[in-house]
Amino acid sequence: MVKRCFNPDINSNNALIDPHRSMSISVEGKTEDATVSLGQYILIEGDDDDNPFVAQLRKLYTDGRNMPCFSKKTAVVQWFVRMCEVPQNKRKLLGRDPHPQEIFFYQDRSCDNEVDGETILGAVQTAPATPRTPRHATPSIPSRSAPARKPGNVLEEARARLHVSSVPESLPCREQEFQDIYNFVESKVIDGTGGCMYISGVPGTGKTATVHEVVRSLQQSAEQDEIPHFHFIEINGMKMTDPHQAYVQILQKLTNQKATPDHAAALLEKRFSAPAPKKETTVLLVDELDLLWTRKQNVMYNLFDWPTRRNARLVVLTIANTMDLPERIMINRVASRLGLTRMSFQPYTFKQLQQIITSRLNRVKAFEEDALQLVSRKVAALSGDARRCLDICRRATEICEHSGSQKNGSGLVGMSHVMEALDEMFSSSYIAAIRCASVQEQLFLRAVIAEFRRLGLEEATFQQVFVQHQALCRVEGLQPVSVSEGLAVCQRLGSCRLLLLEGSRLDLFLRIRLNVSQDDVLYALKAD
Amino acid sequence: MALIKCPGYPEDTLRSLAERLPCRETQLATLLALMGQPDQYSYPSVFIYGHRATGKSHVVLSIMKDLELPHASVDCVECVSSGLLFHQVLSAFFGLDAAALLPRCPSLSDFVRLYKQMSSNSPATQTRYIILDRAERMRDMDFSLLPALLRLQELVNDNVTVILLSEIVWEKFRPNTGCFEPLLFHFPDYSKAELVQILSWDHHPSYTPELYASYINILLGVFFSVCRDLRELRHLAVLNFSKFCEPLEKGEAKESDIHKLWKNIEPHLQRAMQTVYLREVSSVQWEQQQMDEKEATTLRVLSAHAHIELPYYSKFLLIAAYLASFNPARTDRRFFLKSHGKIRKTNFLKKHEKTSNHLLGPKPFPLDRLMAIFYSVVDSRVAPTASIFSQISSLVTLQLLSQVGHDDQLDSPKYKCSVSLDFILAISRTVGFDVVKYLYDFL
């Protein structure tokens, strides 16, 4: 496990001696001075007088380090670019017709963002462009007005830490996999070559989290110039409406261009055939690979073919659930390009799950040791899904909180709470549904089983079952139901999937099958 | 007649409504009770079922029209796509402008969105009704449409009720995933007395109502056992009334001579049952014939036209196909070979071949067998030219033969003969061939 180092954002600027909020300047042609204040858009002297530069005032201070008597006002600004300053060929990339007065954010390191206060010409009103439908608007949730509530007690804190979305401090039990992926990507980045890697494993074994962790630490070491810089792109098969959208997304993340899938494929082909610009490696993460399957498999083929190009410098990491996916769905020329760099994530054992929860909780004492062990043993026995494990723990804290209000226990999540949560999560709802069904519905299920026994088959028509149902009604001393009522009962059971039915048009001839095992039905019916 | 009372609606309109809907008082009262007062919320969906011509749509639409309730009446047969349905509903409730706002291929969510938007501008002061006639077609449309319409009140949050009219019971409608159960409401068939009452309603102005009622009684005496469809009976009553009145016009009988009139009309009605009722003779022809005073059987009826002129060899091909379809293959030796040994009929056929093949229907046969039988029944030498084989395929296009199993068109195709015995008898008579002698069933 590579330790990550946290760099607190302390840009100690000693020069900032005398910060101001506003400054008065003399404007040419006017007698009184104008005032510019922080946040305002200002005009700054440029190469020619007719077209001054536009910027936004960020900081204003008096630079008096050397000679206090000749103190000079310095402004830190954020530069903006007007449309007329944008080169003709770059305008097309915008993809729309901008307002002539519109200004654009300018982010180039080549311009110094500290300017002399004397060069400021005056304030400028940036008129908002005519309202138009935002093209690149992304829907976002409104930012909260009040800060998020701090967890009130231990259980709430534990719940927040156990939430699947909360990013853990570390990823325990995946050190080996982390190291392998890290070494693979790092070697490719350092050598400036490309390659593919296939990562498989059942859901909830930490595949995506580990790869993200790898990329994060690689990016950190790139920032510290330990390894060359690289470009990270992530696409997810599940988030695409069509496999060919993968090209579009990759192109957009690579060059900010928008194109149709075909055009994007051609552009990417050109990009990866030529030497990579700036000799920068691209790391591409493809999540949910199996959804990129097409009949001709051209998307997969391209994804695995590009890294083999001489100067493409592309590293492709693919993630899917099944181990034999390349053998099962890929044609040979695709599977061979994917290569044999495979990695499979084993399901977590109970010890690992326990460690994960402990590391998440990190000194927050909310669980009894035995309770944790029970959860991890149960989950490990069934699936080894860490997400499921976290969900159960969270549910157990909720149950504990509810029961705690009635009788004051130790305040910790105990065995009984965990048992209850496990029962909720794992017990089949079918048996509960049969127990809660009406008398006629239970009778109908009995009739289904009786008819199956008589026929020796696992399938019967409604007509046959209905005869049994009527006989059972008489045995039970109930009024025999009509065909309509019998069908209504049958179709209600079918709509809650206890039975599997054909279309209702067949009425008497619709075939019935049980969706639960006969033993389950008998167990549920016998219990009362 | 019990006085129908329903608060919120004008009383005299209700009275005239009840008079216009004879024999449907209980249904009318129940429906009005269901609807409640105009501003009250009604049940989200009502499913009305009953046989053909039991007054389902008539009663519902009369209520809507007379009480001037906002309603959209849609015949589901017309709605080949759900978009047409949405269009009709929106234009009936909010005008054509609202319906024009629908996109070209509107989805259910478009409809609900637009409905909500419109109903927020003009909220319902009265319950709105959507009447879907012949609702069984709804099952063939988008699978989510029927469940959505059943709980439309909930979806659009407006005072709207969907009334479904159908001849099919609700059990055949219910989707597999379940749905909001509508209120089921049955319209029973009319009894004989009720039919007399309704049919006597439109009596002829130049004769007394009693005469017309006795005519209806005679008509029902003939037709009631085969037909209880009000529309059909009304049609027959109109067609034959002039014949009934003939003796009166000629002065041969008086209105009180019911027996004489019955003797006159009864054979006429019996004949009508075999001709007009089966649409063998069109009603125009029937009226024409009554005016010309011709005998009814002189007209060639529709089924007598079932004779087709065919080429010579086509006739033999068809006969051969008929023989191949209705004879067991094992008996071919016996019928078509020139010198066969003595084979007794019994004990050499399988059990299923013993039952009459004419009851079981035609069986498929391969082309080889057809050609073998064809050469055996045709006396002259026939070359297997292209024209013979093209005649087989044109018999298929004429639907006299039908091809079975469309997988193999060229290599050993199989056919079935799809003509009746009468037809083949007529054909064989024209070429002087005795088919019955070669049919195993008639041996």
Side-chain angles (χ1 to χ4, degrees):
Chain A
M1 187 84 200
V2 170
K3 284 227 178 105
R4 283 173 299 127
C5 139
F6 290 95
N7 273 343
D9 188 33
I10 316 163
N11 285 326
S12 53
N13 198 340
N14 295 328
L16 202 122
I17 293 168
D18 187 10
H20 300 266
R21 297 208 57 80
S22 61
M23 178 178 103
S24 69
I25 49 163
S26 58
V27 181
E28 226 177 309
K30 280 190 184 170
T31 47
E32 70 264 36
D33 288 0
T35 340
V36 289
S37 49
L38 292 188
Q40 253 188 335
Y41 290 92
I42 50 171
L43 294 176
I44 294 171
E45 264 177 41
D47 303 335
D48 75 287
D49 289 347
D50 294 336
N51 285 319
F53 294 128
V54 181
Q56 192 182 19
L57 200 54
R58 282 291 171 83
K59 269 179 199 158
L60 205 56
Y61 58 89
T62 315
D63 192 357
R65 260 175 300 187
N66 310 330
M67 284 176 277
C69 48
F70 291 110
S71 64
K72 193 176 72 174
K73 279 181 181 161
T74 307
V76 178
V77 295
Q78 166 66 55
W79 291 103
F80 282 87
V81 181
R82 274 174 298 170
M83 194 58 201
C84 55
E85 295 166 56
V86 178
Q88 204 71 37
N89 56 348
K90 292 261 175 86
R91 287 183 200 182
K92 280 184 200 152
L93 297 181
L94 200 60
R96 64 188 169 98
D97 244 357
H99 191 265
Q101 292 296 318
E102 210 172 325
I103 56 171
F104 297 95
F105 216 61
Y106 183 74
Q107 259 186 325
D108 200 333
R109 300 281 163 84
S110 63
C111 260
D112 192 11
N113 57 0
E114 283 184 28
V115 295
D116 189 358
E118 300 295 307
T119 58
I120 298 175
L121 292 175
V124 68
Q125 275 299 326
T126 49
T130 44
R132 55 172 77 231
T133 328
R135 243 167 211 275
H136 305 288
T138 43
S140 61
I141 48 173
S143 56
R144 52 172 108 232
S145 52
R149 211 158 53 86
K150 284 273 187 304
N153 56 23
V154 177
L155 289 176
E156 270 181 42
E157 164 119 44
R159 199 143 59 225
R161 282 166 168 279
L162 287 173
H163 199 281
V164 186
S165 70
S166 77
V167 183
E169 291 96 350
S170 65
L171 279 175
C173 315
R174 288 291 178 226
E175 288 82 5
Q176 186 56 47
E177 283 86 355
F178 178 91
Q179 201 57 51
D180 287 349
I181 302 174
Y182 189 92
N183 289 347
F184 176 80
V185 180
E186 190 189 31
S187 67
K188 301 287 183 203
V189 170
I190 290 173
D191 295 349
T193 55
C196 297
M197 185 174 204
Y198 176 73
I199 300 166
S200 64
V202 292
T205 46
K207 304 179 289 294
T208 312
T210 309
V211 173
H212 277 150
E213 196 68 25
V214 166
V215 171
R216 209 157 41 222
S217 30
L218 278 168
Q219 269 166 343
Q220 259 174 18
S221 48
E223 268 169 33
Q224 289 160 5
D225 286 330
E226 287 166 10
I227 59 166
H229 274 274
F230 66 94
H231 194 151
F232 176 62
I233 299 172
E234 182 186 2
I235 61 170
N236 191 326
M238 196 83 96
K239 290 183 190 164
M240 283 172 219
T241 49
D242 181 81
H244 295 279
Q245 285 294 318
Y247 298 132
V248 179
Q249 290 200 6
I250 295 172
L251 186 73
Q252 191 168 20
K253 284 171 180 163
L254 208 58
T255 62
N256 265 333
Q257 258 176 301
K258 278 197 122 181
T260 60
D262 288 342
H263 190 211
L267 286 176
L268 286 173
E269 179 74 34
K270 213 167 98 189
R271 154 76 174 74
F272 290 119
S273 309
K278 292 191 277 179
K279 302 220 165 185
E280 195 181 66
T281 306
T282 311
V283 177
L284 174 63
L285 169 61
V286 185
D287 215 339
E288 315 281 356
L289 176 72
D290 36 356
L291 292 169
L292 292 183
W293 187 86
T294 52
R295 184 172 290 275
K296 288 170 86 178
Q297 306 196 2
N298 45 2
V299 178
M300 281 184 176
Y301 177 81
N302 279 331
L303 279 182
F304 302 141
D305 190 44
W306 289 331
T308 62
R309 305 287 169 79
R310 175 177 290 261
N311 291 315
R313 293 184 181 236
L314 176 67
V315 182
V316 178
L317 302 170
T318 55
I319 298 180
N321 281 343
T322 44
M323 200 159 71
D324 57 344
L325 189 81
E327 282 73 33
R328 212 152 38 83
I329 68 168
M330 291 184 201
I331 49 178
N332 284 338
R333 67 192 167 102
V334 178
S336 74
R337 275 175 177 76
L338 173 59
L340 293 170
T341 319
R342 310 259 175 97
M343 169 173 289
S344 88
F345 277 60
Q346 297 304 319
Y348 289 114
T349 62
F350 85 92
K351 274 193 180 141
Q352 288 173 326
L353 285 174
Q354 208 170 349
Q355 200 180 337
I356 288 169
I357 302 172
T358 324
S359 81
R360 280 242 180 188
L361 287 173
N362 189 21
R363 290 197 304 279
V364 174
K365 182 70 185 153
F367 278 84
E368 285 172 12
E369 273 308 310
D370 293 346
L372 271 191
Q373 191 162 3
L374 178 68
V375 175
S376 28
R377 274 187 191 270
K378 274 271 187 191
V379 174
L382 277 165
S383 59
D385 186 340
R387 284 189 289 233
R388 172 62 71 91
C389 195
L390 293 175
D391 284 345
I392 292 169
C393 289
R394 278 177 47 237
R395 177 70 193 133
T397 58
E398 281 170 9
I399 292 169
C400 174
E401 206 162 38
H402 276 287
S403 62
S405 59
Q406 283 135 27
K407 55 175 180 65
N408 218 337
S410 60
L412 292 186
V413 180
M415 213 57 170
S416 59
H417 308 127
V418 168
M419 287 291 270
E420 202 176 318
L422 281 170
D423 227 36
E424 273 178 27
M425 288 281 201
F426 286 120
S427 69
S428 145
S429 52
Y430 284 118
I431 289 174
I434 295 173
R435 277 188 193 159
C436 298
S438 70
V439 175
Q440 289 292 347
E441 283 165 351
Q442 291 187 345
L443 217 56
F444 193 85
L445 284 173
R446 266 184 223 279
V448 169
I449 290 184
E451 188 60 25
F452 285 176
R453 293 241 170 106
R454 191 182 73 81
L455 293 171
L457 294 172
E458 291 283 291
E459 190 176 273
T461 62
F462 173 74
Q463 209 172 4
Q464 293 167 321
V465 175
F466 185 66
V467 172
Q468 295 276 359
H469 189 186
Q470 292 228 306
L472 273 175
C473 277
R474 290 204 187 86
V475 170
E476 298 279 326
L478 297 167
Q479 186 74 31
V481 293
S482 68
V483 180
S484 302
E485 287 166 331
L487 256 176
V489 165
C490 173
Q491 282 166 346
R492 213 186 90 80
L493 288 172
S495 68
C496 49
R497 305 300 288 166
L498 285 169
L499 299 178
L500 295 175
L501 300 180
E502 286 178 304
S504 57
R505 283 179 206 208
L506 294 166
D507 52 12
L508 285 182
F509 301 102
L510 71 85
R511 281 199 291 268
I512 297 172
R513 274 161 53 198
L514 273 177
N515 198 21
V516 251
S517 77
Q518 291 194 18
D519 295 336
D520 283 2
V521 176
L522 286 177
Y523 170 71
L525 291 175
K526 209 172 280 175
D528 57 80
Chain B
M1 189 191 293
L3 188 63
I4 291 168
K5 270 192 212 156
C6 194
Y9 299 108
E11 219 162 88
D12 46 341
T13 323
L14 283 178
R15 197 174 303 124
S16 76
L17 192 63
E19 279 163 17
R20 281 186 43 225
L21 302 170
C23 313
R24 281 289 173 247
E25 288 85 17
T26 45
Q27 281 76 22
L28 180 63
T30 319
L31 268 181
L32 284 172
L34 265 181
M35 285 156 57
Q37 289 177 30
D39 56 332
Q40 289 172 339
Y41 266 64
S42 179
Y43 206 74
S45 46
V46 182
F47 182 81
I48 299 177
Y49 65 107
H51 280 156
R52 180 169 301 167
T54 47
K56 299 181 294 294
S57 36
H58 181 59
V59 168
V60 173
L61 287 177
S62 305
I63 292 174
M64 295 298 149
K65 285 217 183 79
D66 286 20
L67 300 179
E68 287 169 354
L69 299 169
H71 69 278
S73 161
V74 184
D75 195 336
C76 292
V77 177
E78 292 169 18
C79 298
V80 285
S81 73
S82 49
L84 291 170
L85 194 154
F86 302 151
H87 192 274
Q88 286 193 29
V89 171
L90 284 177
S91 62
F93 288 162
F94 309 110
L96 279 171
D97 297 343
L101 291 175
L102 276 174
R104 186 177 295 171
C105 290
S107 64
L108 188 64
S109 65
D110 285 329
F111 170 67
V112 170
R113 178 177 51 79
L114 213 58
Y115 192 108
K116 264 184 168 168
Q117 194 185 325
M118 289 294 152
S119 66
S120 68
N121 292 341
S122 57
T125 50
Q126 294 176 306
T127 312
R128 291 177 170 135
Y129 294 93
I130 299 175
I131 299 150
L132 299 170
D133 210 345
R134 279 179 265 198
E136 57 269 11
R137 298 286 179 138
M138 298 282 294
R139 300 176 299 171
D140 302 323
M141 290 196 215
D142 189 13
F143 70 95
S144 61
L145 189 60
L146 183 61
L149 282 177
L150 287 175
R151 55 195 327 153
L152 190 68
Q153 198 175 79
E154 203 174 308
L155 277 175
V156 298
N157 208 2
D158 187 42
N159 190 359
V160 63
T161 292
V162 178
I163 300 178
L164 301 148
L165 306 173
S166 179
E167 292 173 20
I168 296 179
V169 290
W170 170 246
E171 278 72 48
K172 292 199 166 228
F173 276 76
R174 203 178 278 133
N176 259 356
T177 44
C179 63
F180 182 87
E181 293 284 317
L183 210 63
L184 304 186
F185 188 28
H186 183 230
F187 270 53
D189 283 348
Y190 293 114
S191 68
K192 193 169 180 180
E194 284 172 338
L195 280 176
V196 171
Q197 192 189 337
I198 296 166
L199 285 172
S200 310
W201 199 261
D202 39 19
H203 63 86
H204 204 271
S206 46
Y207 298 99
T208 56
E210 291 77 34
L211 179 80
Y212 196 78
S214 60
Y215 165 65
I216 293 298
N217 261 323
I218 295 168
L219 185 88
L220 282 181
V222 175
F223 279 103
F224 189 69
S225 55
V226 292
C227 173
R228 285 157 203 217
D229 189 338
L230 181 62
R231 271 178 287 188
E232 201 73 42
L233 288 170
R234 184 175 276 162
H235 179 64
L236 287 165
V238 170
L239 274 185
N240 296 309
F241 189 60
S242 60
K243 182 78 180 174
F244 180 73
C245 299
E246 232 170 41
L248 296 176
E249 278 170 11
K250 284 182 186 164
E252 291 169 359
K254 288 203 291 288
E255 284 199 10
S256 53
D257 298 339
I258 296 295
H259 185 71
K260 205 167 195 179
L261 290 173
W262 176 78
K263 276 204 112 170
N264 176 46
I265 195 70
E266 211 270 335
H268 187 73
L269 290 178
Q270 291 286 356
R271 216 160 35 238
M273 200 195 297
Q274 283 153 21
T275 50
V276 185
Y277 181 56
L278 299 174
R279 303 289 192 275
E280 299 266 359
V281 169
S282 72
S283 44
V284 176
Q285 280 176 317
W286 185 253
E287 278 178 339
Q288 198 103 46
Q289 184 191 319
Q290 280 175 349
M291 257 192 272
D292 301 349
E293 308 263 325
K294 266 196 290 183
E295 196 53 33
T297 44
T298 53
L299 262 176
R300 279 189 72 189
V301 294
L302 199 66
S303 62
H305 285 286
H307 176 73
I308 308 174
E309 279 304 321
L310 284 174
Y312 184 70
Y313 287 129
S314 285
K315 285 178 182 172
F316 272 107
L317 280 170
L318 200 56
I319 288 167
Y322 190 83
L323 291 174
S325 245
F326 285 96
N327 276 352
R330 306 172 62 168
T331 58
D332 283 355
R333 263 164 66 86
R334 162 188 192 138
F335 286 124
F336 304 113
L337 229 55
K338 291 282 187 249
S339 56
H340 59 83
K342 280 201 171 177
I343 307 163
R344 285 180 304 161
K345 185 192 171 185
T346 49
N347 289 338
F348 86 105
L349 282 175
K350 286 179 187 161
K351 195 182 171 198
H352 68 91
E353 285 171 339
K354 281 180 191 163
T355 50
S356 168
N357 285 309
H358 278 85
L359 284 180
L360 294 172
K363 286 191 192 56
F365 53 85
L367 180 64
D368 303 339
R369 184 160 167 240
L370 172 69
M371 293 314 288
I373 297 177
F374 172 68
Y375 283 123
S376 137
V377 292
V378 176
D379 287 333
S380 55
R381 270 184 70 88
V382 190
T385 53
S387 93
I388 292 291
F389 287 103
S390 71
Q391 281 180 36
I392 294 175
S393 61
S394 38
L395 285 175
V396 173
T397 46
L398 288 171
Q399 299 187 342
L400 299 172
L401 297 186
S402 58
Q403 196 162 10
V404 186
H406 293 278
D407 48 340
D408 209 345
Q409 293 277 342
L410 284 176
D411 188 26
S412 70
K414 287 193 157 189
Y415 298 97
K416 239 183 196 179
C417 185
S418 45
V419 296
S420 64
L421 180 64
D422 294 331
F423 186 89
I424 214 75
L425 283 174
I427 292 265
S428 57
R429 213 172 296 126
T430 59
V431 290
F433 181 81
D434 190 5
V435 185
V436 179
K437 227 172 75 186
Y438 286 89
L439 278 170
Y440 181 73
D441 285 347
F442 300 103
L443 213 58

